[in-house]
Amino acid sequence: MEYPPLRAKTDQMARCLRRDISLYMDRWMIYSKKADFFAVAKKFNISPMLARILRNRDLVTDEEISNFLYGSLSDLHDPFLLKGMDEAVQAARGEMARGTKICIMGDYDSDGVCSSFILKSYFDYAGAKSTVCLPDRIRDGYGMNVRMVHEAFEDGAGLIITCDNGISCHDAVAEAKELGMTVIVTDHHEVSAGLPCADAVVDPRQEGCQYPFKDICGAVVAWKFVQAMLKDDAGAQAAALIDYLLQFAAVATVTDIMPLKDENRIIVREGLKRLSVTGNRGLRALMELKGISGQSITSFHVGFVIGPCLNSAGRLESADEAFDLLYEKDPEKAAQTAGHLNELNEKRKQLTSDQIDRAQELINKDISEKGSPDRIIVCFLPEAHESIAGIVAGHLKEEYNRPAFIITGANDGLKGSGRSIPAYNMIEALTARADLMQKFGGHAGAAGFTLDCSVEEFRSALNADCTLTASDLEKTVWLDMRLPFEYVSPEFVKELELLEPFGTGNDKPLFAEKDITVLKSSVVGKNRTALKMVLENAGGARMDAVYFSSPENISAAAGKTASGSKIMITYYPSINEWRGMQSLQIVIRDIRFQ
C-alpha cells in the first residue's frame, strides 16, 4: 500500500505529543532515534512505520535488520565458540565410552528443569546410564551442594554434569573431584569468584569466552552441548533430536526472562512453532488442561500459562514433579501430573495474592503516616512462603516503581528477595551494607539475602543510603511513535507479526494518538472488565477500540468517556475476530482525559 509522506512530519508530531502529554501524566516518551526510514522500508519491503520501530530497537545495519526479520536456525552461533565446549565434549565422550554412570545436576526452576530434560534426553538417545538430581529449594537452596555430590557418588555416578548452575558451586565441585569424579559445568550465570575446579566449564560469561552472544539461558547452553556432542552424527535421528529439544530451550529462554535478541529471538520463534504441535506428552497434557492446545503458542502462553506451572513445583514442593511431567511417556500419568502442577500453581497464585494484599496494607499505612511510601520499600511478611517473596517484590516494584524487598520469617532466619528499577543497582546497594547480612547475591535488578540484623535496621539503612530522585521514581512509558488512525490497516497489523515473538528486550510496539473524540462507549464482559468505544481523531478517521482493566478502573473510565469526551491514548492495533468475522480495532493500554 502507499503510505502518506511522514518523513517531514514525524519528529514534529513526536515533539508535539510529548509536550502535550507532559501536561497530563508522568513520562510518556516517544523515541526520537534518527534514520532514513523510507530508504530502510524500500530496501526490506516494509512500511516506514515498521522501519522506525526497528530503529527504536537499536537495529541499524542491514545485517542486524535482516537477521531480526528473517533470521533462521542456520544463523545460530556455532556451539564450539563457547569456551570449554571442546573439553566438555571430550570428557563426556570419554566417560560414556567407559560406561560411566552420569548424574545430571540441574536447578529447581523452569530453566533448570528444561536444561536437565535436554541433557537426559540426549544421554538416553546415546544409550548412556544417567540420572537427574534437582535441589530442594528450601533444604538445599540454589544449585548443587556437597550433600548432593555424596548422594550421586554413593549411587555409583562417576560423571557429574551441571546445567543452569555450577559456576559458583566451588565446594561441591571440589568435593566431587576429591572423590575422583569427573565434573563438567554448563551454566550461564556470572562468574563472581573464579572458575570451579571442574574438568570442563562451559559458560558464555567466563573470561576469555568468544561466544558472540552472552545472554543465553542454561537450557540453551545445554542444547548447544547436545549439538556439539552430535556434531559428527549426520543421521536423521540426531537431527530430529536436536530439533525436538529446541522447544525446551525456547520455553526456558522465555521463563528465565532472557532478552529476545540475537539468537534467542530465533530459538524462541522456531521453538514456539514446534511447541504448538509438540509430541511431548507432558507439555501436551498441560496445554490441553489450560485450554491452549491446538492454538499457535506464543511467548505469552509460555511466560504466563506454561512456565508458572513448571515453576510451581520447585516453589512449593519438588522440581522433580516438573521434570517428571516433561519425561512422562504415559498420557494418563502425564495428565495427572499436569493436573497436580496446575493445582500447585493455583495455590501459589493465592498465596501470592494474599501476601501482596498484606504488603499493600503495610505500604498504605506508611503512606497515611508519611504521605508517600519509602523510596526503598521493605515489607516484613513473616507468614509468607519464602519461594514467593520475589514474585511479591516484583509486583510491588511494578505497582510503585520503587525498589522493593520482601523479608520472610524462614526456618533458618530472616530471608529476603528484592526486585529493582533501572535507576537503582540492587546488588551494589546490598554490597555497601554487607555487614547487615549473613549472605547475599544477585545482580542489579534482583537479589536474595539472609539478614543478620532486624528488619527495621535493614529498612532504615537502605533508605538512608538511597540517592533516588523524584524523577527516578517516575515510571517512563516509551512509545514507538504517534500513529494517527489513518495509518492503521489490516496490512500493517499483519506486518507487525514480523516483530514477534514479543518479550523481554523486544516489547510489543506501543503507539499514541491525541485529540480523540469518543463517539460511543459501553462497558462489556461478564465481569465488566472491558470498555468498548468508537473513536474519531482530529482528521476524521474512526476506529473501534477496546480497553481492558479491573472493574474499578473500567467503571471510572466509563464515567469519563461519554459521547463527545476528549481523550488521548496509547494503543496497539489488532484484528478482532467474532463469530467468523474479522474487523480492525485497537487495544488501548492507557487513557488520559483531555
Side-chain angles (χ1 to χ4, degrees), residues 384-417:
H385 195 288
E386 65 178 84
S387 69
I388 66 170
I391 303 175
V392 177
H395 179 90
L396 297 180
K397 183 262 294 186
E398 290 295 325
E399 179 76 14
Y400 297 98
N401 201 52
R402 294 157 194 263
F405 293 91
I406 297 298
I407 298 172
T408 65
N411 294 330
D412 52 346
L414 297 174
K415 287 189 175 181
S417 288

Side-chain angles (χ1 to χ4, degrees), residues 104-121 132-135 137 163-165 217-220 222 245 248-249 251-252 255-256 280 283 306-307 309-315 318-327 341:
I104 301 161
M105 290 200 177
D107 197 27
Y108 48 68
D109 66 356
S110 175
D111 189 15
V113 168
C114 289
S115 304
S116 301
F117 179 77
I118 287 170
L119 293 181
K120 175 64 175 170
S121 297
V132 171
C133 181
L134 303 176
R137 189 184 194 110
C163 49
D164 191 34
N165 80 99
C217 68
V220 170
L245 295 178
F248 303 95
V251 167
T255 57
D256 218 42
N280 182 270
L283 286 178
I306 297 171
C309 290
L310 295 178
N311 277 321
S312 66
R315 289 189 184 279
S318 168
D320 292 337
E321 295 172 89
F323 177 84
D324 291 344
L325 176 76
L326 302 185
Y327 198 66
L341 291 186

Side-chain angles (χ1 to χ4, degrees), residues 286 289-290 305 308-310 312-313 325 335-349:
L286 184 58
L289 179 67
K290 302 302 289 186
V305 181
C309 290
L310 295 178
S312 66
L325 176 76
Q336 292 173 352
T337 304
H340 183 57
L341 291 186
N342 186 54
E343 289 173 2
L344 285 179
N345 190 48
E346 292 302 314
K347 179 180 178 181
R348 189 274 308 166
K349 288 196 289 187

Side-chain angles (χ1 to χ4, degrees), residues 254-267:
V254 174
T255 57
D256 218 42
I257 319 181
M258 294 289 105
L260 298 189
K261 300 178 178 180
D262 203 277
E263 68 177 352
N264 280 351
R265 174 174 168 75
I266 299 171
I267 288 169

